[in-house]
Amino acid sequence: MINELLDAFEMEHKFAPQTIDNLLDYCQKKYIHGEIDLKTYRDLYNCLHEKGAVSAHEMSIEKNF
């Protein structure tokens, strides 16, 4: 599942994500745009989060506290 997300990222951007965080942000973008369903998003999010990924959204919230 993550490999498919990685392939989609590379196909769309023409380069590999620089960090796992970039891949998580891409996953979130695909969910917001309706390109992946909730279950797929949650599975990908949990897997990437377990690998240490932090979304840009989470980082911006932490900076405000």
Side-chain angles (χ1 to χ4, degrees):
M1 189 178 293
I2 289 182
N3 288 335
E4 293 168 357
L5 184 66
L6 183 57
D7 290 343
F9 182 101
E10 291 176 352
M11 188 179 298
E12 183 174 326
H13 295 286
K14 308 295 188 236
F15 59 87
Q18 294 178 339
T19 67
I20 197 164
D21 299 341
N22 297 137
L23 198 55
L24 178 57
D25 292 339
Y26 180 69
C27 176
Q28 291 173 328
K29 181 190 122 198
K30 289 185 78 61
Y31 172 68
I32 290 168
H33 290 212
E35 297 173 27
I36 59 175
D37 62 30
L38 180 59
K39 182 183 180 335
T40 301
Y41 169 72
R42 292 177 111 185
D43 290 346
L44 286 166
Y45 178 89
N46 289 333
C47 186
L48 291 167
H49 205 66
E50 286 174 8
K51 294 180 182 296
V54 179
S55 75
H57 177 71
E58 288 174 89
M59 285 190 254
S60 67
I61 290 173
E62 290 175 5
K63 286 182 182 179
N64 291 327
F65 285 106

